Amino acid sequence: MTVLARLDEAKAARQQKPLITFNGATLRLGGKTIIENLDLEVRPGEFLCIVGASGCGKTTALRLAAGLYRPTGGAVTFDGQPMLEPRREVAIVFQDYGKALLPWRTAAGNISLALEACGIPVRERPDRIAELLRKVGLPAHAEKYPAEMSGGMQQRLQIARCLAQEPTTLLMDEPFGALDAMTRQGLQDEVLSLTAASNTTVVFVTHDLDEAIYLGDRVIGLLPHPGRIGIELDVNLPRPRDQLATREHPEFLRLRRQLFDFIKATEH
Amino acid sequence: MIWRIASFAVAAGFVGLWQLIANLKLISPVFLPGPDRAWAALMRGFATGDLTSKLVGTLEHMAYGWLAASVAGIALGALIGSSRLMRIYIAPSLEFLRPLPVSAIIPVAIAMLGLTQGMALFVIAFGAIWPIMLATIHGFAAVEPRLYEVARALQMSRPAIVFKIALPSALPDILAGMRLSLTVALILSVVCEVLAGLDGLGHWVLLSARAFRSADLFAGVILLGATGYVTSIAMSLAERRLLAWQSTR
């Protein structure tokens, strides 16, 4: 058997058993249909990006995957089981880090919150906290309060807190939307290396099309009113990605063009 | 620093003015002692222990009433504030009870509990509970919803959510309420002592006034003022310590 065939087989096997499945998922809130009949499969280890115009339901789709909403029709399953409540192996990174962190706890204290919830013994916590802070590049800021940190640092801290629950899946809701371009690029690469190292499955919602292509193995574009899938693109760009080379790659530019045309068409 | 010196100078000026008025006998010394005589009475009261025991009595009334109000106010406020349904159901009853003057409650309390320490405790706690409870309700209702989602995502237990998320988040409001209640508790302690003849500075002040011992009367009043001042400063220090994270904002 050739290596290529074996790879294909492995890929096929993975495709047979998706980690997260939306099966005709529908969500109505207050008489409005936010998401209708959404069919979507997220494979283990995959980096999936969801884009779409504002109000297309991409955040809602993520909240369904997190178990923060229950579908009013159809089903959302995780590892074959209905996702009715949040689970510890699924962590969610919110866009508004300023609201998601506890302002009265230091950086170390915020990470500790997740360790406490996971029942990690007190003795083991300091080492774990130090390790997590090092992972996200904040080793010198353990005793700082969130208000003393920049936006980028606060978002790193939230990511560290999510990693503390040792998730197999990371759901990220426009995590870098409020950050400046330089900070954003740095964090993109860090998230890529962190999740690649642990083979974490990622669902990443963004309104930045370049970011979606840069990060993703696959990009899905949602159509609004009600939210449903409008386009699906496989991103066959070499990894590890590089901020300059990847973004200049002809394939990147082709995908970018395709995605922009799609979004433009939905905005009427 | 210069402002602190200035504020001391103003206070000293008032004492000087008081001494001047007393020396000129603008008001009869039977009713108005000078600060010198009031101070002497204060020292004498402490030396004999008479005033000390009265001070302890008032501090006890104040502390027990305030602590009872704090425990009950925070517990009830947390219960009401964390549920929208509770707020809707209970708010009208609270709005009826809250503006009731405590002085109107005292005869009721005396009728039911007699002229006892229990009556004083009830009256002080009843008066002091409102600022704490209303602040706690507000604090619990204003917890950032995102933090509850973080708690859900971490599958935190209900007690953990209350003690690690809601309570610390509401703490600034709760402490502000407790500070207001401190003054209310002192006022009501004195009122109860006067009305029910309970051992305390209120009783001391009343008896001194009736016996025209104006120096003792003023000693008691000075001590009451000092009690209010010192407890308020202690509360500020506690707040600054507990809310250290806020100073970084």
Short mmCIF file of all heavy atoms in Angstrom, two decimals, chain A residues 63 67-68 86-88 94 96 99-100 102-105 116-117 145 148 161 165, chain B residues 144 146-147 149-150 152-156 164-166 168-170 244-245 248-249:
data_model
loop_
_atom_site.label_atom_id
_atom_site.label_comp_id
_atom_site.label_asym_id
_atom_site.label_seq_id
_atom_site.Cartn_x
_atom_site.Cartn_y
_atom_site.Cartn_z
N ARG A 63 -22.37 28.66 19.59
CA ARG A 63 -22.99 28.45 20.90
C ARG A 63 -23.76 27.13 20.94
O ARG A 63 -23.86 26.50 21.98
CB ARG A 63 -23.91 29.62 21.25
CG ARG A 63 -23.13 30.93 21.45
CD ARG A 63 -24.06 32.10 21.66
NE ARG A 63 -24.78 31.97 22.91
CZ ARG A 63 -24.33 32.43 24.08
NH1 ARG A 63 -23.19 33.07 24.12
NH2 ARG A 63 -25.03 32.27 25.16
N GLY A 67 -22.98 23.91 23.47
CA GLY A 67 -24.00 23.46 24.40
C GLY A 67 -24.58 24.60 25.21
O GLY A 67 -25.28 24.38 26.19
N LEU A 68 -24.28 25.84 24.82
CA LEU A 68 -24.85 26.99 25.53
C LEU A 68 -26.28 27.25 25.05
O LEU A 68 -27.07 27.84 25.75
CB LEU A 68 -23.99 28.24 25.31
CG LEU A 68 -22.63 28.25 26.04
CD1 LEU A 68 -21.78 29.44 25.60
CD2 LEU A 68 -22.84 28.28 27.56
N PRO A 86 -22.94 22.33 28.25
CA PRO A 86 -21.49 22.42 28.01
C PRO A 86 -20.76 21.23 28.63
O PRO A 86 -21.21 20.67 29.62
CB PRO A 86 -21.11 23.71 28.71
CG PRO A 86 -22.34 24.51 28.77
CD PRO A 86 -23.46 23.53 28.90
N ARG A 87 -19.66 20.82 28.01
CA ARG A 87 -18.86 19.72 28.54
C ARG A 87 -17.44 20.21 28.72
O ARG A 87 -17.02 21.15 28.08
CB ARG A 87 -18.84 18.52 27.58
CG ARG A 87 -20.10 18.31 26.83
CD ARG A 87 -19.90 17.38 25.64
NE ARG A 87 -19.10 16.23 25.93
CZ ARG A 87 -19.55 14.98 25.81
NH1 ARG A 87 -20.79 14.75 25.46
NH2 ARG A 87 -18.74 13.97 26.03
N ARG A 88 -16.74 19.53 29.62
CA ARG A 88 -15.42 20.02 29.98
C ARG A 88 -14.41 19.88 28.84
O ARG A 88 -13.47 20.65 28.74
CB ARG A 88 -14.93 19.29 31.21
CG ARG A 88 -14.15 20.18 32.11
CD ARG A 88 -14.11 19.66 33.52
NE ARG A 88 -15.19 20.18 34.34
CZ ARG A 88 -15.61 19.58 35.46
NH1 ARG A 88 -15.06 18.46 35.84
NH2 ARG A 88 -16.58 20.11 36.16
N PHE A 94 -14.32 33.48 24.38
CA PHE A 94 -15.24 34.54 24.00
C PHE A 94 -14.49 35.72 23.41
O PHE A 94 -13.32 35.95 23.70
CB PHE A 94 -16.04 35.01 25.21
CG PHE A 94 -16.96 33.95 25.77
CD1 PHE A 94 -16.60 33.23 26.90
CD2 PHE A 94 -18.17 33.67 25.16
CE1 PHE A 94 -17.44 32.26 27.42
CE2 PHE A 94 -19.01 32.69 25.67
CZ PHE A 94 -18.64 31.99 26.80
N ASP A 96 -15.23 38.94 23.94
CA ASP A 96 -15.07 40.03 24.90
C ASP A 96 -14.31 39.54 26.13
O ASP A 96 -14.88 39.34 27.19
CB ASP A 96 -16.44 40.60 25.30
CG ASP A 96 -17.49 39.52 25.48
OD1 ASP A 96 -17.11 38.33 25.52
OD2 ASP A 96 -18.67 39.86 25.60
N LYS A 99 -14.91 40.91 29.58
CA LYS A 99 -16.07 40.49 30.36
C LYS A 99 -15.95 39.05 30.82
O LYS A 99 -16.60 38.64 31.77
CB LYS A 99 -17.35 40.64 29.52
CG LYS A 99 -17.72 42.06 29.23
CD LYS A 99 -19.00 42.10 28.40
CE LYS A 99 -19.45 43.54 28.16
NZ LYS A 99 -20.60 43.57 27.24
N ALA A 100 -15.14 38.28 30.11
CA ALA A 100 -15.06 36.84 30.41
C ALA A 100 -14.06 36.53 31.52
O ALA A 100 -14.08 35.44 32.08
CB ALA A 100 -14.70 36.06 29.15
N LEU A 102 -12.38 37.25 35.37
CA LEU A 102 -12.81 37.75 36.66
C LEU A 102 -11.90 38.91 37.05
O LEU A 102 -10.70 38.70 37.27
CB LEU A 102 -12.72 36.66 37.73
CG LEU A 102 -13.40 35.33 37.42
CD1 LEU A 102 -13.27 34.39 38.62
CD2 LEU A 102 -14.87 35.52 37.09
N PRO A 103 -12.42 40.14 37.11
CA PRO A 103 -11.55 41.29 37.37
C PRO A 103 -10.93 41.26 38.77
O PRO A 103 -9.93 41.92 39.00
CB PRO A 103 -12.48 42.50 37.20
CG PRO A 103 -13.86 41.97 37.32
CD PRO A 103 -13.81 40.54 36.89
N TRP A 104 -11.54 40.52 39.69
CA TRP A 104 -11.02 40.51 41.07
C TRP A 104 -10.00 39.40 41.27
O TRP A 104 -9.49 39.20 42.38
CB TRP A 104 -12.16 40.35 42.07
CG TRP A 104 -13.00 39.14 41.83
CD1 TRP A 104 -12.78 37.88 42.29
CD2 TRP A 104 -14.20 39.08 41.06
NE1 TRP A 104 -13.75 37.04 41.85
CE2 TRP A 104 -14.65 37.74 41.09
CE3 TRP A 104 -14.94 40.03 40.34
CZ2 TRP A 104 -15.80 37.33 40.44
CZ3 TRP A 104 -16.09 39.60 39.69
CH2 TRP A 104 -16.51 38.27 39.74
N ARG A 105 -9.71 38.63 40.24
CA ARG A 105 -8.68 37.60 40.36
C ARG A 105 -7.49 37.96 39.48
O ARG A 105 -7.68 38.48 38.38
CB ARG A 105 -9.23 36.25 39.92
CG ARG A 105 -10.15 35.60 40.95
CD ARG A 105 -10.24 34.12 40.65
NE ARG A 105 -11.18 33.44 41.52
CZ ARG A 105 -11.11 32.13 41.77
NH1 ARG A 105 -10.16 31.40 41.22
NH2 ARG A 105 -11.98 31.56 42.55
N GLU A 116 -9.86 24.69 39.52
CA GLU A 116 -10.76 24.39 40.63
C GLU A 116 -11.99 23.65 40.12
O GLU A 116 -12.43 22.66 40.70
CB GLU A 116 -11.20 25.68 41.33
CG GLU A 116 -10.08 26.39 42.09
CD GLU A 116 -10.36 27.88 42.30
OE1 GLU A 116 -11.54 28.27 42.37
OE2 GLU A 116 -9.39 28.65 42.40
N ALA A 117 -12.55 24.16 39.00
CA ALA A 117 -13.76 23.55 38.45
C ALA A 117 -13.49 22.12 37.99
O ALA A 117 -14.37 21.26 38.03
CB ALA A 117 -14.30 24.39 37.29
N TYR A 145 -3.59 41.84 37.69
CA TYR A 145 -5.04 41.78 37.48
C TYR A 145 -5.32 42.06 36.01
O TYR A 145 -4.55 42.77 35.35
CB TYR A 145 -5.74 42.82 38.36
CG TYR A 145 -5.73 42.47 39.83
CD1 TYR A 145 -4.85 43.08 40.70
CD2 TYR A 145 -6.59 41.50 40.32
CE1 TYR A 145 -4.84 42.75 42.05
CE2 TYR A 145 -6.59 41.17 41.67
CZ TYR A 145 -5.70 41.79 42.53
OH TYR A 145 -5.69 41.45 43.84
N GLU A 148 -4.81 45.40 34.54
CA GLU A 148 -3.44 45.89 34.37
C GLU A 148 -2.81 45.36 33.08
O GLU A 148 -1.64 45.61 32.83
CB GLU A 148 -2.57 45.44 35.56
CG GLU A 148 -3.01 46.01 36.89
CD GLU A 148 -2.26 45.39 38.05
OE1 GLU A 148 -2.54 44.24 38.39
OE2 GLU A 148 -1.38 46.06 38.60
N ARG A 161 -6.79 29.98 30.23
CA ARG A 161 -7.81 29.43 31.11
C ARG A 161 -8.58 28.31 30.41
O ARG A 161 -8.94 27.31 31.02
CB ARG A 161 -8.77 30.52 31.57
CG ARG A 161 -9.74 30.02 32.63
CD ARG A 161 -10.61 31.12 33.19
NE ARG A 161 -11.54 31.61 32.21
CZ ARG A 161 -12.26 32.73 32.37
NH1 ARG A 161 -12.11 33.43 33.46
NH2 ARG A 161 -13.09 33.12 31.43
N GLN A 165 -8.60 23.55 31.14
CA GLN A 165 -9.57 22.47 31.27
C GLN A 165 -9.24 21.31 30.32
O GLN A 165 -10.02 20.39 30.16
CB GLN A 165 -11.01 22.98 31.08
CG GLN A 165 -11.30 23.64 29.75
CD GLN A 165 -12.69 24.28 29.71
OE1 GLN A 165 -12.86 25.48 29.77
NE2 GLN A 165 -13.73 23.43 29.58
N GLU B 144 -22.03 40.31 35.46
CA GLU B 144 -21.83 40.18 34.02
C GLU B 144 -22.34 38.80 33.54
O GLU B 144 -21.84 37.78 33.99
CB GLU B 144 -20.34 40.34 33.72
CG GLU B 144 -19.92 40.03 32.30
CD GLU B 144 -20.65 40.87 31.29
OE1 GLU B 144 -20.72 42.09 31.47
OE2 GLU B 144 -21.17 40.31 30.32
N ARG B 146 -21.82 37.21 30.95
CA ARG B 146 -20.75 36.42 30.32
C ARG B 146 -20.06 35.53 31.36
O ARG B 146 -19.66 34.40 31.06
CB ARG B 146 -19.74 37.36 29.67
CG ARG B 146 -18.63 36.68 28.93
CD ARG B 146 -19.13 35.94 27.69
NE ARG B 146 -19.23 36.79 26.52
CZ ARG B 146 -20.20 36.68 25.61
NH1 ARG B 146 -21.14 35.79 25.75
NH2 ARG B 146 -20.22 37.46 24.57
N LEU B 147 -19.95 36.03 32.59
CA LEU B 147 -19.28 35.24 33.63
C LEU B 147 -20.09 34.00 33.98
O LEU B 147 -19.53 32.95 34.30
CB LEU B 147 -19.05 36.10 34.88
CG LEU B 147 -18.01 37.21 34.74
CD1 LEU B 147 -17.85 37.98 36.03
CD2 LEU B 147 -16.67 36.63 34.31
N GLU B 149 -21.81 32.40 31.83
CA GLU B 149 -21.56 31.47 30.72
C GLU B 149 -20.21 30.78 30.89
O GLU B 149 -20.07 29.59 30.61
CB GLU B 149 -21.61 32.21 29.38
CG GLU B 149 -23.01 32.61 29.02
CD GLU B 149 -23.13 33.18 27.63
OE1 GLU B 149 -22.09 33.49 27.01
OE2 GLU B 149 -24.25 33.32 27.17
N VAL B 150 -19.23 31.55 31.35
CA VAL B 150 -17.92 30.96 31.65
C VAL B 150 -18.11 29.85 32.69
O VAL B 150 -17.58 28.74 32.57
CB VAL B 150 -16.93 32.03 32.16
CG1 VAL B 150 -15.67 31.39 32.72
CG2 VAL B 150 -16.58 32.99 31.04
N ARG B 152 -20.81 28.14 33.29
CA ARG B 152 -21.50 27.00 32.68
C ARG B 152 -20.54 26.16 31.86
O ARG B 152 -20.55 24.94 31.91
CB ARG B 152 -22.63 27.50 31.76
CG ARG B 152 -23.95 27.71 32.46
CD ARG B 152 -25.01 28.11 31.44
NE ARG B 152 -25.41 26.98 30.61
CZ ARG B 152 -26.10 27.12 29.47
NH1 ARG B 152 -26.45 28.31 29.04
NH2 ARG B 152 -26.43 26.06 28.77
N ALA B 153 -19.69 26.86 31.08
CA ALA B 153 -18.74 26.13 30.24
C ALA B 153 -17.79 25.31 31.09
O ALA B 153 -17.34 24.25 30.66
CB ALA B 153 -17.96 27.11 29.36
N LEU B 154 -17.52 25.79 32.32
CA LEU B 154 -16.63 25.05 33.21
C LEU B 154 -17.41 24.07 34.07
O LEU B 154 -16.83 23.40 34.92
CB LEU B 154 -15.87 26.03 34.12
CG LEU B 154 -14.76 26.83 33.46
CD1 LEU B 154 -14.25 27.93 34.38
CD2 LEU B 154 -13.60 25.92 33.05
N GLN B 155 -18.74 24.02 33.89
CA GLN B 155 -19.61 23.13 34.67
C GLN B 155 -19.40 23.32 36.16
O GLN B 155 -19.27 22.36 36.93
CB GLN B 155 -19.35 21.68 34.30
CG GLN B 155 -19.82 21.36 32.89
CD GLN B 155 -19.50 19.93 32.52
OE1 GLN B 155 -18.35 19.61 32.28
NE2 GLN B 155 -20.50 19.09 32.50
N MET B 156 -19.36 24.57 36.58
CA MET B 156 -19.20 24.86 38.01
C MET B 156 -20.50 24.56 38.74
O MET B 156 -21.58 24.73 38.19
CB MET B 156 -18.81 26.33 38.20
CG MET B 156 -17.35 26.60 37.85
SD MET B 156 -16.96 28.36 37.71
CE MET B 156 -17.26 28.90 39.37
N LYS B 164 -17.79 32.04 43.98
CA LYS B 164 -16.62 32.44 43.19
C LYS B 164 -16.95 33.48 42.13
O LYS B 164 -16.06 34.17 41.65
CB LYS B 164 -16.01 31.21 42.50
CG LYS B 164 -15.36 30.27 43.50
CD LYS B 164 -14.83 29.04 42.82
CE LYS B 164 -14.25 28.09 43.85
NZ LYS B 164 -13.90 26.80 43.25
N ILE B 165 -18.21 33.57 41.73
CA ILE B 165 -18.56 34.53 40.68
C ILE B 165 -19.46 35.64 41.24
O ILE B 165 -19.08 36.81 41.25
CB ILE B 165 -19.30 33.83 39.50
CG1 ILE B 165 -18.50 32.64 38.99
CG2 ILE B 165 -19.65 34.84 38.42
CD1 ILE B 165 -17.54 32.92 37.90
N ALA B 166 -20.65 35.26 41.71
CA ALA B 166 -21.65 36.27 42.05
C ALA B 166 -21.24 37.12 43.25
O ALA B 166 -21.28 38.35 43.20
CB ALA B 166 -23.00 35.61 42.29
N PRO B 168 -18.20 37.72 44.82
CA PRO B 168 -17.11 38.68 44.61
C PRO B 168 -17.50 39.81 43.67
O PRO B 168 -17.08 40.95 43.85
CB PRO B 168 -15.98 37.85 43.99
CG PRO B 168 -16.38 36.43 44.11
CD PRO B 168 -17.84 36.35 44.43
N SER B 169 -18.34 39.49 42.68
CA SER B 169 -18.75 40.51 41.73
C SER B 169 -19.64 41.55 42.41
O SER B 169 -19.58 42.74 42.09
CB SER B 169 -19.48 39.85 40.56
OG SER B 169 -20.11 40.81 39.77
N ALA B 170 -20.46 41.09 43.37
CA ALA B 170 -21.38 42.00 44.06
C ALA B 170 -20.73 42.67 45.26
O ALA B 170 -21.32 43.57 45.87
CB ALA B 170 -22.63 41.23 44.50
N ALA B 244 -8.94 45.55 46.70
CA ALA B 244 -7.64 46.00 46.20
C ALA B 244 -7.60 45.96 44.67
O ALA B 244 -6.99 46.82 44.03
CB ALA B 244 -6.54 45.14 46.79
N TRP B 245 -8.27 44.98 44.09
CA TRP B 245 -8.23 44.83 42.62
C TRP B 245 -8.83 46.02 41.91
O TRP B 245 -8.51 46.30 40.77
CB TRP B 245 -8.94 43.54 42.20
CG TRP B 245 -10.37 43.47 42.65
CD1 TRP B 245 -10.84 43.01 43.84
CD2 TRP B 245 -11.51 43.88 41.90
NE1 TRP B 245 -12.20 43.11 43.88
CE2 TRP B 245 -12.65 43.63 42.70
CE3 TRP B 245 -11.70 44.43 40.62
CZ2 TRP B 245 -13.94 43.91 42.28
CZ3 TRP B 245 -12.99 44.70 40.20
CH2 TRP B 245 -14.10 44.44 41.04
N THR B 248 -6.66 49.09 40.63
CA THR B 248 -5.82 48.93 39.45
C THR B 248 -6.55 49.36 38.18
O THR B 248 -5.98 49.36 37.12
CB THR B 248 -5.40 47.47 39.27
OG1 THR B 248 -6.57 46.68 39.12
CG2 THR B 248 -4.62 46.99 40.47
N ARG B 249 -7.83 49.68 38.31
CA ARG B 249 -8.59 50.01 37.11
C ARG B 249 -8.19 51.35 36.53
O ARG B 249 -7.97 52.28 37.28
CB ARG B 249 -10.08 50.06 37.43
CG ARG B 249 -10.57 48.72 37.92
CD ARG B 249 -12.05 48.61 37.72
NE ARG B 249 -12.34 47.30 37.17
CZ ARG B 249 -13.55 46.88 36.85
NH1 ARG B 249 -14.57 47.66 36.97
NH2 ARG B 249 -13.73 45.67 36.38
#
